[in-house]
Amino acid sequence: MVSIPEHVRHALEDRLEMHARTAGSERCASVNIRFRGQYAYVDVFDSDPWIMPGSTKEEQEQVRQTPVKMCRLGWTGDMESWEFAFYKYSDGRYEPSMLFDGSSSSSPEACFDCAAQIYLR
């Protein structure tokens, strides 16, 4: 297993933060990326999360502070081609998936957009 180089980690964080700010996803307050081995785990904080009516202020704050797990990117050695896997809330696992164009890998921005279409509506 090849770990993601440090300079690639920084570049990926910068690219996805910039993309989230400029791509028109007003639901994304910020992007959080965790790295482990060859994988980058992409979470976001929803700027307008659904909060159950009647929730206490503490519960509301907890919902706002809980990130939305979106996807996992697998390092292929090419900054423009990352393997894509959706996070499945049904079993808490990442499932290798296809993007809208039918491919299983793409740019970090395309992977982000695909997951955002599902999780940030």
Side-chain angles (χ1 to χ4, degrees):
M1 173 173 33
V2 177
S3 293
I4 301 170
E6 196 66 32
H7 73 280
V8 172
R9 292 177 183 207
H10 293 299
L12 179 63
E13 289 171 328
D14 291 345
R15 281 178 67 168
L16 288 181
E17 277 288 344
M18 176 66 73
H19 182 68
R21 284 195 305 268
T22 60
S25 180
E26 60 277 349
R27 295 280 312 266
C28 181
S30 67
V31 177
N32 182 50
I33 304 174
R34 298 170 285 117
F35 296 95
R36 184 169 184 200
Q38 69 186 57
Y39 296 116
Y41 298 88
V42 181
D43 303 340
V44 299
F45 287 92
D46 193 334
S47 59
D48 187 23
W50 182 84
I51 296 176
M52 182 182 290
S55 297
T56 66
K57 290 196 182 285
E58 292 81 19
E59 291 168 332
Q60 292 175 20
E61 188 57 29
Q62 183 178 4
V63 168
R64 287 187 185 94
Q65 296 301 317
T66 301
V68 176
K69 294 181 179 183
M70 292 211 329
C71 63
R72 181 186 71 198
L73 305 178
W75 175 238
T76 65
D78 178 358
M79 190 62 182
E80 297 305 318
S81 180
W82 293 76
E83 295 173 344
F84 177 66
F86 267 117
Y87 181 76
K88 295 187 331 182
Y89 279 88
S90 60
D91 63 8
R93 295 177 180 232
Y94 291 88
E95 183 71 28
S97 305
M98 291 178 32
L99 292 115
F100 295 128
D101 66 2
S103 66
S104 60
S105 62
S106 192
S107 70
E109 294 85 355
C111 294
F112 180 92
D113 289 345
C114 187
Q117 286 289 318
I118 303 303
Y119 292 124
L120 293 179
R121 295 199 140 249

